[in-house]
Amino acid sequence: MSDVLPGGTLRLSETLTVTRVGFGALQLAGPMAYGPPRDREEAVAVLRAVAEAGVTHLDTSDYYGPHLVNGLIREALHPFREDLRIATKVGARRTLDRGWPAALSRPELVRAVHDNLDHLGLEVLDLVNLRMTDTLAAEDVVEPFTVLAELREQGLIRNLGVSNVSAEQVRAARQIAPVVAVQNHYNVAHRGDDALVDWCAEQGIAFVPFWPLGGFRPLQAQALDQVADELGATPRQIALAWLLHRSPTMLLIPGTSTRAHLAQNIDAAAIRLPERALRTLDAIAAAAH
């Protein structure tokens, strides 16, 4: 196990310190995070390699599969290492057509928290992110986040975060209970949350981007390829390195279903981006407008 992971660690609360390079478990399920993995043996091996590498931030949800990925995590890693912190998401459910409709009622949220506990084999969840769907209005986060705050007071959850949200929803949630993480779509090309990223850093809140390579246009991808070629890295590694550079409270949760890609993702944190590379990468966002 590595004693010092590239990228270091981030302390978000008295009970939550994680490596800035984490692992997102979504890709361990089948296509569109539904059904069993293509290679179950490799999926278990990836999870064990995550732990062996020293990664302490594992991001999952019981609606990956559904239920299957949490079962894989339990099979591969239980009993869990003392320093491993598992983050999960609630607020959606899966349908047979692989949809992700909202599941934000009190009974659905309570059931989701207990399902995560049961399938992971835990008595308390380190971090639960409330995933919002189809609304960015501040008032819409209040009722579901209040339910999670109550479950936190009951001792079932240690820390709370929000996902797929607006800045106004983050602020509304903070009026109810502490928010330690925001998980939104953000990358070097998709930078609509730039102001929120900076605000989170000021507040000591983690910003956890998903889709680190999502939404690139051909010319933007070409610029990313150029920097990768110059630095002897892959485009994905450059995109991840840029995210770590972007904010001191940025946490990465890149997902993969292979050990080879896992190693590449971890190595990305050691890449230093020179000023010329940063200028080229920043121009990618400008080209989006």
Side-chain angles (χ1 to χ4, degrees):
M1 185 184 76
S2 172
D3 292 327
V4 181
L5 198 70
T9 61
L10 183 64
R11 184 177 187 269
L12 297 173
S13 74
E14 291 183 3
T15 61
L16 190 62
T17 297
V18 295
T19 50
R20 290 186 69 202
V21 178
F23 176 75
L26 179 147
Q27 292 187 34
L28 296 183
M32 297 179 65
Y34 198 93
R38 297 177 180 88
D39 185 336
R40 182 182 179 86
E41 184 176 335
E42 180 66 8
V44 170
V46 166
L47 287 165
R48 289 176 177 159
V50 167
E52 290 166 3
V55 171
T56 64
H57 179 198
L58 180 55
D59 181 87
T60 184
S61 175
D62 209 46
Y63 54 68
Y64 296 164
H67 316 310
L68 294 171
V69 169
N70 278 354
L72 283 173
I73 292 171
R74 182 173 184 173
E75 175 186 336
L77 300 177
H78 199 277
F80 300 115
R81 271 194 359 231
E82 188 175 338
D83 63 343
L84 181 65
R85 299 290 177 260
I86 298 179
T88 190
K89 283 179 290 297
V90 297
R93 59 184 176 84
R94 303 308 303 276
T95 55
L96 292 177
D97 62 356
R98 302 186 180 185
W100 307 72
L104 294 167
S105 70
R106 176 179 291 271
E108 288 172 316
L109 292 171
V110 172
R111 172 44 53 195
V113 167
H114 282 280
D115 283 348
N116 276 279
L117 288 166
D118 292 344
H119 293 133
L120 288 166
L122 293 170
E123 294 183 355
V124 58
L125 296 169
D126 293 307
L127 170 60
V128 173
N129 291 301
L130 174 66
R131 180 187 189 272
M132 297 300 294
T133 305
D134 302 327
T135 174
L136 297 176
E139 61 268 21
D140 290 334
V141 81
V142 172
E143 186 173 341
F145 198 77
T146 297
V147 174
L148 294 187
E150 292 171 0
L151 295 175
R152 176 175 172 267
E153 291 297 319
Q154 293 171 23
L156 298 178
I157 302 170
R158 292 193 177 98
N159 299 277
L160 295 174
V162 285
S163 177
N164 206 35
V165 290
S166 64
E168 292 73 22
Q169 287 177 326
V170 179
R171 292 182 173 90
R174 287 186 90 203
Q175 298 298 312
I176 299 165
V179 173
V180 304
V182 173
Q183 191 174 114
N184 274 5
H185 179 199
Y186 182 84
N187 59 41
V188 68
H190 188 279
R191 296 182 57 175
D193 271 346
D194 266 342
L196 181 57
V197 169
D198 292 335
W199 181 80
C200 284
E202 293 169 2
Q203 302 298 320
I205 296 172
F207 192 96
V208 190
F210 54 81
W211 292 353
L213 281 177
F216 279 59
R217 298 174 184 171
L219 286 178
Q220 298 168 337
Q222 185 178 351
L224 192 64
D225 290 342
Q226 173 190 330
V227 173
D229 288 342
E230 291 174 354
L231 297 181
T234 69
R236 181 179 181 82
Q237 286 179 314
I238 296 301
L240 294 174
W242 180 86
L243 285 167
L244 280 180
H245 178 274
R246 174 64 182 83
S247 167
T249 62
M250 192 77 72
L251 296 179
L252 303 185
I253 52 167
T256 179
S257 57
T258 71
R259 283 167 285 180
H261 283 153
L262 172 66
Q264 289 182 2
N265 291 341
I266 292 173
D267 289 345
I271 295 174
R272 296 294 172 259
L273 298 173
E275 285 300 319
R276 183 176 63 179
L278 289 171
R279 286 195 297 271
T280 300
L281 295 171
D282 284 339
I284 289 176
H289 300 292

